[in-house]
Amino acid sequence: MRCEDVFDNLTDLLDGALDRESEAAALEHLATCERCEITLAETRTLVELAGDERPTRLDPSARATLLDRIVGEVGRDS
Amino acid sequence: MSTTDGDASGARVDRVVELFERHADSVFHVAWRILWSTADAEDVTQTTFVRAFTRLDQLRDDGRERPWLLQIAYHSALDVLRRRRDVPTDPAELPDRPEGDDTERVADRRATVALLQAAIDDLPGALRIAFVLRDVEGLSTRDVADTLGIGESAAKMRVARAREQLRLALEGVLT
Ligand SMILES: [Zn+2]
């Protein structure tokens, strides 16, 4: 694999969605290419950070109010 | 809807309550990412679960409940946008976040998360929502595709492009 092939397959590689043969070829390239290795490491960090990034959650009182309204609305319809 | 069978409709209300307990935050988050307004995102959350109630029969596979709900949320949020702007809404035209804030490049994790947050806000709408569903909400690529009503390869491409734009935006901060 060349750099651009690794780049094209980066997301699949991180998601474990590559077939074994392509994965092996990508890893082989990564072992010898610092630039691709950095790109992969940065993307992996990004994905990990994103999983922690849950800034916008329902405020607890809004949550309770909404649930009341929803139950009120669907209860009336049923 | 049957009004004679109180037990069955009671069970349906219980089911919606259960769905709300599990997924209200995700629904709200997706709506907020589209609308940038807490009040509107709360309205969409309400609409989503009310609509979910009327369509509960469509939900056969329990494992699919989150993408199913998020799909309703996504379309409900687009409805709000449409009403707000009175123009046809393409996800590519989702509004940019109104106020931009410049954040310092500090290498500490919380600051990095804040930078990531700002960079996500700067993504074009179609990429932003795909990234949020896949990497923030943790949906599979297939579920992202189903939620957005696009093909799996298109979903995969949007996620890949979003990741690359974010990586470049955060260059030097991620290592
Ligand atoms: Zn390379």
Side-chain angles (χ1 to χ4, degrees):
Chain A
M1 266 194 194
R2 295 161 305 164
C3 293
E4 55 261 47
D5 301 321
V6 171
F7 185 82
D8 288 345
N9 285 301
L10 207 60
T11 298
D12 281 347
L13 182 65
L14 277 174
D15 293 345
L18 277 187
D19 62 76
R20 294 173 77 126
E21 202 179 326
S22 309
E23 188 184 71
L27 292 177
E28 194 183 338
H29 176 90
L30 283 159
T32 60
C33 178
E34 196 184 0
R35 201 175 59 146
C36 284
E37 202 201 326
I38 290 170
T39 304
L40 178 73
E42 287 182 349
T43 308
R44 179 181 287 132
T45 305
L46 169 74
V47 171
E48 282 169 7
L49 278 174
D52 294 344
E53 190 271 347
R54 301 196 147 215
T56 326
R57 289 294 168 235
L58 269 172
D59 168 84
S61 70
R63 200 186 162 93
T65 309
L66 280 176
L67 185 56
D68 279 352
R69 281 199 223 142
I70 291 161
V71 170
E73 203 166 327
V74 304
R76 216 178 24 248
D77 287 356
S78 58
Chain B
M1 209 163 298
S2 165
T3 48
T4 53
D5 196 341
D7 281 354
S9 67
R12 289 165 60 86
V13 175
D14 289 349
R15 181 80 174 106
V16 166
V17 171
E18 180 192 33
L19 289 171
F20 182 90
E21 304 284 1
R22 272 192 217 148
H23 303 295
D25 281 331
S26 292
V27 164
F28 174 77
H29 182 203
V30 166
W32 187 84
R33 285 285 183 193
I34 293 170
L35 298 166
W36 304 126
S37 151
T38 301
D40 285 350
E42 286 175 1
D43 285 348
V44 165
T45 304
Q46 182 174 343
T47 307
T48 298
F49 286 97
V50 171
R51 285 184 181 167
F53 176 82
T54 66
R55 299 176 200 174
L56 269 180
D57 302 337
Q58 295 171 0
L59 180 62
R60 298 240 157 67
D61 178 359
D62 279 354
R64 315 284 305 150
E65 62 187 35
R66 202 151 79 114
W68 179 73
L69 278 168
L70 291 181
Q71 186 177 16
I72 299 174
Y74 173 71
H75 287 291
S76 302
L78 292 186
D79 287 347
V80 171
L81 267 192
R82 221 168 272 139
R83 252 179 276 136
R84 220 193 245 173
R85 302 162 131 204
D86 202 26
V87 290
T89 305
D90 184 285
E93 294 166 11
L94 295 183
D96 294 331
R97 194 177 192 194
E99 81 283 15
D101 50 317
D102 289 316
T103 335
E104 282 176 49
R105 286 163 62 107
V106 191
D108 126 288
R109 190 179 175 90
R110 272 183 54 201
T112 308
V113 169
L115 282 178
L116 172 60
Q117 176 73 55
I120 293 172
D121 292 346
D122 287 342
L123 284 175
L127 301 189
R128 188 200 314 145
I129 203 67
F131 180 83
V132 165
L133 291 169
R134 177 72 184 83
D135 285 332
V136 182
E137 291 300 331
L139 263 60
S140 69
T141 307
R142 183 190 152 198
D143 287 352
V144 174
D146 286 356
T147 300
L148 300 180
I150 59 179
E152 221 174 308
S153 63
K156 191 188 272 191
M157 197 187 72
R158 286 187 197 179
V159 170
R161 284 176 54 201
R163 285 178 177 178
E164 181 55 13
Q165 285 198 24
L166 292 172
R167 189 183 70 78
L168 293 174
L170 299 178
E171 205 157 34
V173 181
L174 289 171
T175 40

